[in-house]
Amino acid sequence: MPSILRPCLVSFVLLSGLTGVLYPAAVTGVAQAAFPSKANGSLILQDGKLAGSSLLGQPFADSKYFWGRPSATGPFPYNAGSSSASNLGPSNPALVDAVKGRIAALRAADPGNDAPVPVDLVTTSASGLDPHVSPAAARYQIGRVAKARRLDEAKVRALVDSKVEGPELGLFGEPRVNVLALNRALDELR
Amino acid sequence: MTGRDGLQIGLYLVALLALAWPLGTYMARVYEGKDTFLSRALGPVERLFFRAMGVRADDDTTWKDYAFAAIAFNALGFFFVYALQRLQGVLPLNPQHLPGVAPELAFNTASSFTTNTNWQSYGGETTLGYLVQALALTVQNFVSAATGMAVLVALIRGFVRKESSTIGCFWVDLVRGTVHVLVPLSFVFAIVLVACGVVQTWSPYAASSLLEGTTDAEGRIGESLVALGPAASQVAIKNLGTNGGGFFNANSAHPFENPTALSNFLVMLSILVLPAALCHTFGAMVGDKRQGWALLATMLALFLPLLAVCLWQEGAPNPSLAGLGLDHASNMEGKEVRFGIASSALYATVTTAASNGSVNAMHDSFSPLGGLVPMWLMQLGEIVFGGVGSGLYGMLMFAIIAVFVAGLMVGRTPEYLGKKIEAYEMKMASLTVLVPAATVLVGTAIAVSCSAGRAGVANPGPHGFSEILYAFSSAGNNNGSAFGGLGAGSVFYTTALGIAMWLARFWIMVPVLALAGGLAKKKMIPASAGTLPTHRPLFVAMLTFVVVVVGALTFIPALALGPVVEHLMQHG
């Protein structure tokens, strides 16, 4: 028994020091020196104030903004202090009702637009903070946004097209549009 | 699935195999105590550890001492993680002033991290401060993985040694695995993750204005608190060590934990690279590389068809949403746009093949059969790659069962790697298969029979049963992923699943070590014309068959009540 006590306690203390103190501290040191913006959350500064992160989505419900994906965070959508998902099963009637409600809201905000609704625009994301929508979901909203802002549709469409990002390195992931970046650019459009 | 998706998956497999080979060879040298290209830098650290601990690099113990050391070390870790969580409120490095964690949740999280399960009943950014994340969770991510690798190496020694009463020294293996393998790999990977956008800071959460703002029950909200923290250092080892417990609640779906499809690709590689590499370590240490290849081939033979099913099911539209006026309608509920279907289905298959359990999409919202794939991969015993160390020692138990079955067919005494497989070996191997299966099925049966168990269900109908079955499959095989709707924070589930994790970890580890001790004592029998070669495609097929038959016979009745019924109801 005594023969096990020393290696057990000492290895625990030393390994904790190495992996729980030195290692995170060293990673932080290198990260803050080499990639300060990214290590701190890719935050957006505007007039000296924080205006979100380029990696996190924000809630949008006004017709004059592009809407992002529905968010299941509480107590308000896109709560960046409490990520979470709906965890609704595929056959849950609550999922069907929620999707119906979101389709109705989209149609009510944009009467006359009978195009099929892109699925990502009416289903919640995994994190509740998804910053992106599919290019189809952004294009679906062009008419509504242009009308609400009294802008030429072609101008809004050009802006959306300029904000479409392709798969990374042409290979990984999906084409997408960062909704916050799009809406910020929209506010600057005259 | 598009051509690009196929290309990504192909590239994934090529990169995995290409990385696993040199890494596996490197690890064999580490555990054999030979010099490597990092010895000059890391050798002094190792020697410092040994001197302080009072052990010598050539210490050698019996399997009982080995097992006792492993259990004592993990028990100490458990109490430390538990205490740190309970005392969080009065400890430093907790900028959000999060209170001490409730006892049942602290028990569950401590069990979860010391058993390499990393089941996530805690809420990440809303429950745990930076001190607990770094000094409790990150440390256990390292040492629980190093424990798994150590036990595997001890088992390999059992095959290699002849008429020996010892199988190595746990303390030496523990320190070598951490210092020479896990820490350097994690350090490099953590920096790469930060370069992709994963956060790494000790600053408090940042208040940030919202462009439009929103409302909650109390009124208008113009600002949101952005959760931050030392995430990259933990995410790196969470994946390399097949741990999987998230820094944030949404785990690898959170943009700060997995910001881009490229980081996602690298994370998926990091999940399988050590379990795949250890196959080569095994081959190198037993002196026949083909033996390692055969086990790796078996893992791939099980992995690829299941991946195909998951991809196919998730890419299909959800029939419950048909006729609502949606476009092509692949199953995007609970998935992130930057990953889409292919990267989410691949991730789900990878993370449950390995006993990782981190998620980049919510498995609870997967299609019924898409969710069956991760569930069954866990139920197979976490041996299709599996946990670092634990996956391969689990697969070796199946290899022993496979040679035994083959021996029965031809009426010869079975042998594996020159060691006779007799009643004692079969008893131990059978235990490692029966204990997790019994834990999963009995646990599920208890949960559905009592109101405390049924109260946790979030989705109605067969999907609710799937949530419970998934939870016990995950805890009972040390995976840690979840059908997240289940109210796993209740006293019933935190306790029941906490116990399941302990059973699954140590009721496999101890029989494996006992088996290693027994094998080491045996003579080596030279291969003869009647020996079944265990490196040929025939054996790979045989082993695959045994794994599938055992997994299917044990779990198809339970799966039929959950995902299969739900699928039939949706398509009926």
mmCIF file of all heavy atoms in Angstrom, chain B residues 27 60 68 89 108 112 127 137 331 365 390 395 415 468 564:
data_model
loop_
_atom_site.group_PDB
_atom_site.id
_atom_site.type_symbol
_atom_site.label_atom_id
_atom_site.label_comp_id
_atom_site.label_asym_id
_atom_site.label_seq_id
_atom_site.Cartn_x
_atom_site.Cartn_y
_atom_site.Cartn_z
ATOM 1 N N MET B 27 4.420 5.624 -31.201
ATOM 2 C CA MET B 27 3.915 5.228 -29.876
ATOM 3 C C MET B 27 4.512 3.893 -29.417
ATOM 4 O O MET B 27 4.756 3.701 -28.230
ATOM 5 C CB MET B 27 2.388 5.159 -29.899
ATOM 6 C CG MET B 27 1.757 6.538 -29.837
ATOM 7 S SD MET B 27 -0.006 6.466 -29.477
ATOM 8 C CE MET B 27 -0.626 5.907 -31.036
ATOM 9 N N ASP B 60 8.400 -3.164 -13.019
ATOM 10 C CA ASP B 60 7.563 -4.178 -13.651
ATOM 11 C C ASP B 60 6.678 -4.783 -12.562
ATOM 12 O O ASP B 60 7.172 -5.123 -11.487
ATOM 13 C CB ASP B 60 8.487 -5.268 -14.232
ATOM 14 C CG ASP B 60 7.960 -5.778 -15.550
ATOM 15 O OD1 ASP B 60 6.824 -5.437 -15.903
ATOM 16 O OD2 ASP B 60 8.710 -6.524 -16.219
ATOM 17 N N PHE B 68 -4.631 -2.348 -9.678
ATOM 18 C CA PHE B 68 -4.832 -1.591 -8.448
ATOM 19 C C PHE B 68 -4.344 -0.157 -8.622
ATOM 20 O O PHE B 68 -5.009 0.807 -8.210
ATOM 21 C CB PHE B 68 -4.108 -2.293 -7.298
ATOM 22 C CG PHE B 68 -4.461 -1.744 -5.952
ATOM 23 C CD1 PHE B 68 -5.774 -1.752 -5.503
ATOM 24 C CD2 PHE B 68 -3.474 -1.209 -5.129
ATOM 25 C CE1 PHE B 68 -6.109 -1.228 -4.262
ATOM 26 C CE2 PHE B 68 -3.805 -0.676 -3.892
ATOM 27 C CZ PHE B 68 -5.120 -0.691 -3.452
ATOM 28 N N GLY B 89 -17.679 27.750 -6.179
ATOM 29 C CA GLY B 89 -18.134 29.085 -5.782
ATOM 30 C C GLY B 89 -17.112 29.877 -4.992
ATOM 31 O O GLY B 89 -17.126 31.109 -5.020
ATOM 32 N N ASN B 108 -21.981 12.919 -11.337
ATOM 33 C CA ASN B 108 -22.107 12.456 -12.715
ATOM 34 C C ASN B 108 -20.937 12.949 -13.558
ATOM 35 O O ASN B 108 -20.322 12.175 -14.310
ATOM 36 C CB ASN B 108 -23.438 12.972 -13.281
ATOM 37 C CG ASN B 108 -23.697 12.472 -14.679
ATOM 38 O OD1 ASN B 108 -23.234 13.074 -15.643
ATOM 39 N ND2 ASN B 108 -24.420 11.375 -14.804
ATOM 40 N N SER B 112 -18.049 10.774 -15.238
ATOM 41 C CA SER B 112 -17.998 10.889 -16.677
ATOM 42 C C SER B 112 -16.582 11.175 -17.176
ATOM 43 O O SER B 112 -16.114 10.576 -18.141
ATOM 44 C CB SER B 112 -18.961 12.009 -17.056
ATOM 45 O OG SER B 112 -18.882 12.326 -18.381
ATOM 46 N N THR B 127 -22.519 26.405 -16.366
ATOM 47 C CA THR B 127 -22.332 25.612 -15.149
ATOM 48 C C THR B 127 -20.910 25.656 -14.604
ATOM 49 O O THR B 127 -20.711 25.658 -13.395
ATOM 50 C CB THR B 127 -22.675 24.127 -15.419
ATOM 51 O OG1 THR B 127 -23.838 24.056 -16.228
ATOM 52 C CG2 THR B 127 -22.926 23.385 -14.123
ATOM 53 N N LEU B 137 -11.464 19.179 -15.733
ATOM 54 C CA LEU B 137 -11.871 18.471 -16.950
ATOM 55 C C LEU B 137 -10.703 18.239 -17.910
ATOM 56 O O LEU B 137 -10.526 17.134 -18.426
ATOM 57 C CB LEU B 137 -12.995 19.229 -17.665
ATOM 58 C CG LEU B 137 -14.246 19.525 -16.832
ATOM 59 C CD1 LEU B 137 -15.383 19.968 -17.735
ATOM 60 C CD2 LEU B 137 -14.675 18.328 -16.010
ATOM 61 N N ASN B 331 -32.637 16.824 -43.770
ATOM 62 C CA ASN B 331 -32.969 16.938 -42.349
ATOM 63 C C ASN B 331 -32.040 17.931 -41.647
ATOM 64 O O ASN B 331 -31.051 17.553 -41.034
ATOM 65 C CB ASN B 331 -32.877 15.551 -41.710
ATOM 66 C CG ASN B 331 -33.340 15.558 -40.273
ATOM 67 O OD1 ASN B 331 -34.065 16.464 -39.861
ATOM 68 N ND2 ASN B 331 -32.920 14.573 -39.508
ATOM 69 N N SER B 365 -32.249 14.893 -33.090
ATOM 70 C CA SER B 365 -33.061 15.345 -34.222
ATOM 71 C C SER B 365 -32.706 14.619 -35.514
ATOM 72 O O SER B 365 -33.233 14.966 -36.570
ATOM 73 C CB SER B 365 -32.903 16.854 -34.402
ATOM 74 O OG SER B 365 -33.333 17.530 -33.247
ATOM 75 N N SER B 390 -8.868 1.784 -25.055
ATOM 76 C CA SER B 390 -9.988 0.916 -24.709
ATOM 77 C C SER B 390 -10.642 0.322 -25.955
ATOM 78 O O SER B 390 -11.139 -0.807 -25.916
ATOM 79 C CB SER B 390 -11.009 1.675 -23.868
ATOM 80 O OG SER B 390 -11.495 2.793 -24.577
ATOM 81 N N MET B 395 -11.555 -4.595 -29.009
ATOM 82 C CA MET B 395 -11.519 -5.346 -30.259
ATOM 83 C C MET B 395 -10.686 -6.620 -30.094
ATOM 84 O O MET B 395 -11.008 -7.674 -30.659
ATOM 85 C CB MET B 395 -10.946 -4.467 -31.376
ATOM 86 C CG MET B 395 -10.906 -5.123 -32.745
ATOM 87 S SD MET B 395 -12.529 -5.752 -33.296
ATOM 88 C CE MET B 395 -13.037 -4.482 -34.442
ATOM 89 N N GLU B 415 -5.768 -20.591 -30.684
ATOM 90 C CA GLU B 415 -4.639 -19.785 -30.222
ATOM 91 C C GLU B 415 -4.638 -18.459 -30.954
ATOM 92 O O GLU B 415 -5.159 -18.335 -32.071
ATOM 93 C CB GLU B 415 -3.321 -20.531 -30.459
ATOM 94 C CG GLU B 415 -3.129 -20.993 -31.878
ATOM 95 C CD GLU B 415 -2.056 -22.071 -31.984
ATOM 96 O OE1 GLU B 415 -2.317 -23.226 -31.611
ATOM 97 O OE2 GLU B 415 -0.975 -21.719 -32.450
ATOM 98 N N ILE B 468 -33.911 7.101 -24.128
ATOM 99 C CA ILE B 468 -33.433 6.368 -22.953
ATOM 100 C C ILE B 468 -32.399 5.316 -23.362
ATOM 101 O O ILE B 468 -31.330 5.190 -22.756
ATOM 102 C CB ILE B 468 -34.618 5.694 -22.225
ATOM 103 C CG1 ILE B 468 -35.571 6.772 -21.700
ATOM 104 C CG2 ILE B 468 -34.124 4.819 -21.081
ATOM 105 C CD1 ILE B 468 -36.825 6.211 -21.038
ATOM 106 N N VAL B 564 -36.486 1.697 -35.141
ATOM 107 C CA VAL B 564 -37.095 0.956 -36.252
ATOM 108 C C VAL B 564 -38.599 1.240 -36.326
ATOM 109 O O VAL B 564 -39.146 1.521 -37.395
ATOM 110 C CB VAL B 564 -36.802 -0.559 -36.111
ATOM 111 C CG1 VAL B 564 -37.513 -1.343 -37.187
ATOM 112 C CG2 VAL B 564 -35.300 -0.817 -36.169
#
